[in-house]
Amino acid sequence: MKRQLKNLFASKQQKESAAAELSSDKIPQHVAIIMDGNGRWAKSHGLPRIAGHHSGMKTIKRITKAADRLGVKVLTLYAFSTENWKRPKEEVEFLMKLPQEFLSIELEELHENNVQVRMMGYKEDLPEHTLRAVEAAEERTKHNTGMVLNFALNYGSRKEMLNAFKEMAAAVQTGELQPDQITEELYEQHLLTRTLPDPDLLIRTSGELRISNFMMWQLAYSELWFTDVFWPAFTEEHFHEAIRGYQQRARRFGGL
Ligand code: FPP
């Protein structure tokens, strides 16, 4: 409680000094986040689940700015998984409206800040209105050279990997590819992340300790950071705490 109050009243100066404690030469290039706990946050405030998702959308703005300020190059946010269609229809419909709402409010500011908005996931299953909003944002920001804000929307790692296997198997079948030519690098060219570096840091909010079908190949050597804080309550200070934790890790990538 004390900590929460402290965060609530943290001044701009305090926030800047928290950021200043971070070493600027060890900022993760790619941060991926599993934004979890919207429903439980809503319940704890006596609100319907969708209010949690709406509040979670506001956290996206906060953390996008924080990441950009620190010099993060790619911020990937797990907004909707290939399994999330199993949720009640009303909740899915609400979630599918959020990209549109978020982008109608934030796109211009993102664009002014040179942010590239991208979507990673299976576009074919999205409702027309969601797809239109996302594609318009991608188109508007495609020449920007700043941070990539990558929304994992209708994304699932197993599907991504299976598709990659199928594409490579088809190439083997036609004789274009020999099985021994299949390397990590070639396989990665078939993943949805083909233009992105692997995440250096994965953050999952809400106290769950799972990967939930998120970037399973790409996370092989990522540092993992779990926090009990629900996504709607996740602040810039919490984000800095995760980055600070990351900076204290020794990354060996299997070496010594
Ligand atoms: C997980 O919490 C969260 C989601 C499945 C949705 C995340 C979506 C947003 C934060 C907003 C998306 C907005 C844009 C702009 C793409 P949960 O519902 O599983 O929470 P619970 O585990 O507490 O029930």
Side-chain angles (χ1 to χ4, degrees):
M1 185 60 187
K2 224 172 174 184
R3 170 114 190 103
Q4 268 178 352
L5 281 177
K6 188 172 155 242
N7 287 338
L8 210 62
F9 295 111
S11 66
K12 191 166 171 274
Q13 219 171 15
Q14 279 172 313
K15 283 183 186 171
E16 278 165 7
S17 72
E21 278 171 43
L22 299 168
S23 26
S24 54
D25 59 342
K26 228 181 150 191
I27 298 296
Q29 262 201 88
H30 184 172
V31 178
I33 308 186
I34 303 181
M35 310 181 286
D36 197 10
N38 293 348
R40 278 164 286 161
W41 178 89
K43 194 171 174 203
S44 73
H45 286 75
L47 297 167
R49 291 181 57 80
I50 56 168
H53 295 314
H54 201 258
S55 184
M57 187 182 80
K58 295 185 182 152
T59 308
I60 291 181
K61 174 168 188 178
R62 204 159 57 227
I63 301 307
T64 299
K65 280 191 165 184
D68 194 33
R69 265 200 290 267
L70 289 183
V72 168
K73 300 274 183 287
V74 184
L75 178 66
T76 296
L77 301 174
Y78 203 9
F80 194 90
S81 77
T82 43
E83 288 69 40
N84 285 150
W85 299 105
K86 294 181 208 154
R87 294 188 175 209
K89 188 168 165 270
E90 300 69 40
E91 184 169 337
V92 169
E93 279 175 6
F94 187 82
L95 283 168
M96 285 296 147
K97 283 186 191 143
L98 289 182
Q100 215 173 330
E101 181 176 344
F102 176 80
L103 292 166
S104 72
I105 303 167
E106 306 300 343
L107 183 60
E108 277 321 300
E109 195 180 330
L110 290 168
H111 184 51
E112 278 162 25
N113 284 284
N114 201 20
V115 171
Q116 307 171 55
V117 177
R118 294 201 204 157
M119 177 193 151
M120 174 176 83
Y122 300 95
K123 289 186 169 173
E124 60 274 16
D125 307 319
L126 295 180
E128 176 71 28
H129 62 88
T130 314
L131 186 60
R132 235 183 297 125
V134 169
E135 288 193 327
E138 286 184 317
E139 182 61 27
R140 178 105 174 98
T141 62
K142 71 178 179 193
H143 297 302
N144 290 348
T145 54
M147 188 177 81
V148 173
L149 175 58
N150 185 33
F151 286 106
L153 198 56
N154 194 26
Y155 171 83
S157 199
R158 288 185 173 182
K159 182 168 171 140
E160 178 189 35
M161 292 199 276
L162 273 182
N163 282 350
F165 301 147
K166 283 183 196 164
E167 284 169 17
M168 291 189 301
V172 168
Q173 199 175 32
T174 60
E176 280 164 71
L177 181 68
Q178 296 303 312
D180 60 7
Q181 292 173 320
I182 299 176
T183 58
E184 289 189 14
E185 291 72 24
L186 180 79
Y187 174 65
E188 284 170 354
Q189 288 309 306
H190 291 268
L191 297 176
L192 298 174
T193 45
R194 65 184 70 85
T195 59
L196 301 174
D198 287 341
D200 301 291
L201 171 65
L202 170 78
I203 299 173
R204 182 171 189 148
T205 58
S206 94
E208 302 295 342
L209 307 178
R210 284 190 294 275
I211 297 299
S212 300
N213 202 15
F214 188 48
M215 300 181 94
M216 292 192 294
W217 169 274
Q218 298 87 339
L219 290 173
Y221 283 103
S222 308
E223 297 298 324
L224 310 180
W225 180 267
F226 297 100
T227 168
D228 287 341
V229 178
F230 295 141
W231 177 249
F234 192 74
T235 61
E236 184 167 4
E237 289 71 46
H238 294 123
F239 186 65
H240 288 166
E241 220 171 285
I243 306 285
R244 205 170 304 123
Y246 167 82
Q247 295 191 333
Q248 285 158 7
R249 307 267 178 96
R251 301 188 77 193
R252 289 190 286 273
F253 300 92
L256 292 179

